[in-house]
């Protein structure tokens, strides 16, 4: 029986197949079939999230060209063996500072920008911790993502400040983690093991 996370992955694969099919095929019957594939993906997601199918389909229209995995960059800031987390304004859950890489940016530039935008902190990337595939880390995402996780150093006199995306901040140890967003529930314990030397650095899925 597929797990909840495996069903998310299957829905994403169906969405990508439907989007690619509609892009490359213009025959009436093929268009109909690929639209059905998209609808099946939307029905699966709607059932998982307890939402209306039309609501999910409407979201698809904005990302129809997303047919390959997306890349994100996260900043891991460590202070006294604790990791900086932000509390998201949208969900109230906690996560690493990070987000999608923009066109024209390097991965390290994206990690530094996301840290600055979400915490106000200026930092310098010191090493790559890992390149992770969202499918292996229990991410609740409609799309396959790759996460580039970098350890970032900031000056000790800098403190985070509230931003448009984050309403609270904190440095947390492994045994005091708050309610975490999506794949962070599996990634953060792994990062703590990396910092103790128990896992490979950098790690690549």
């Amino acid at each position: 029986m597929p797990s909840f996370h495996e069903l998310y992955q299957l829905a994403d694969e169906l969405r990508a197949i439907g989007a690619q099919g509609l892009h490359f095929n213009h025959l009436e019957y093929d268009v109909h079939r690929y639209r059905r594939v998209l609808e099946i993906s939307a029905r699966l997601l709607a059932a998982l999230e307890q939402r209306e199918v039309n609501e999910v389909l409407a979201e698809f229209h904005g990302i129809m060209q997303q047919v390959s995995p997306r890349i994100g960059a996260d900043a891991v800031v460590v202070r006294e063996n604790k990791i900086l987390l932000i509390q998201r304004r949208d969900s109230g859950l906690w996560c690493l500072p990070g987000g999608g890489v923009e066109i024209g940016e390097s991965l390290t530039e994206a990690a530094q920008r996301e840290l600055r935008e979400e915490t106000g902190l200026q930092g310098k990337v010191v090493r790559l911790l890992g390149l992770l595939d969202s499918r292996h880390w229990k991410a609740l995402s409609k799309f396959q993502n790759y996460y580039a996780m970098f350890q970032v150093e900031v000056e000790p006199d800098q403190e985070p400040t509230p931003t448009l995306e984050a309403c609270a901040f904190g440095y947390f140890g492994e045994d005091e983690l708050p309610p975490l967003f999506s794949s962070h529930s599996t990634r953060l314990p792994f990062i703590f093991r990396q910092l103790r030397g128990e896992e490979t650095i950098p790690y690549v899925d």
Side-chain angles (χ1 to χ4, degrees):
M1 182 72 180
S3 70
F4 189 84
H5 296 92
E6 289 171 331
L7 291 173
Y8 258 90
Q9 295 168 21
L10 291 172
D12 188 26
E13 289 185 34
L14 287 171
R15 182 202 56 78
I17 291 169
Q20 285 179 313
L22 290 174
H23 180 74
F24 290 108
N25 294 275
H26 304 288
L27 296 176
E28 179 181 354
Y29 294 117
D30 286 337
V31 168
H32 174 74
R33 291 188 182 98
Y34 285 117
R35 283 180 176 159
R36 285 283 297 137
V37 172
L38 283 176
E39 183 183 346
I40 292 169
S41 173
R43 287 171 59 190
L44 181 55
L45 285 170
L48 290 170
E49 299 178 350
Q50 297 184 345
R51 299 166 62 197
E52 295 294 328
V53 174
N54 288 339
E55 184 181 350
V56 178
L57 280 171
E59 291 179 354
F60 282 179
H61 290 303
I63 44 84
M64 284 295 287
Q65 298 308 312
Q66 188 68 43
V67 295
S68 60
R70 300 190 299 187
I71 185 77
D74 292 336
V76 179
V77 179
V78 182
R79 178 182 290 180
E80 298 178 352
N81 298 317
K82 297 185 176 185
I83 294 176
L84 173 66
L85 300 178
I86 66 170
Q87 186 178 32
R88 296 168 57 112
R89 288 190 184 275
D90 56 359
S91 66
L93 298 176
W94 294 75
C95 62
L96 294 167
V101 179
E102 296 182 354
I103 298 298
E105 280 187 320
S106 69
L107 292 174
T108 56
E109 288 170 341
Q112 292 169 158
R113 174 185 54 76
E114 288 289 344
L115 177 65
R116 184 175 63 254
E117 290 180 352
E118 296 184 347
T119 70
L121 296 174
Q122 299 283 350
K124 178 182 178 182
V125 169
V126 293
R127 61 175 171 172
L128 172 68
L129 294 178
L131 294 173
L132 309 184
D133 183 338
S134 64
R135 298 173 302 169
H136 304 314
W137 296 87
K138 296 186 177 180
L140 297 180
S141 172
K142 298 181 182 66
F143 316 102
Q144 182 183 4
N145 292 274
Y146 290 121
Y147 309 116
M149 302 190 309
F150 295 97
Q151 187 169 351
V152 180
E153 287 187 352
V154 300
E155 294 298 327
D157 60 342
Q158 290 191 77
E159 294 295 338
T161 56
T163 64
L164 292 175
E165 298 179 55
C167 58
F169 310 89
Y171 286 87
F172 296 89
E174 187 173 9
D175 59 350
E176 56 186 13
L177 293 172
L180 297 172
F181 178 76
S182 191
S183 66
H184 286 73
S185 61
T186 52
R187 288 200 281 150
L188 275 163
F190 182 82
I191 295 170
F192 278 108
R193 294 197 300 274
Q194 285 185 304
L195 296 176
R196 291 197 301 268
E198 298 171 4
E199 299 285 356
T200 302
I201 296 177
Y203 173 87
V204 179
D205 278 329

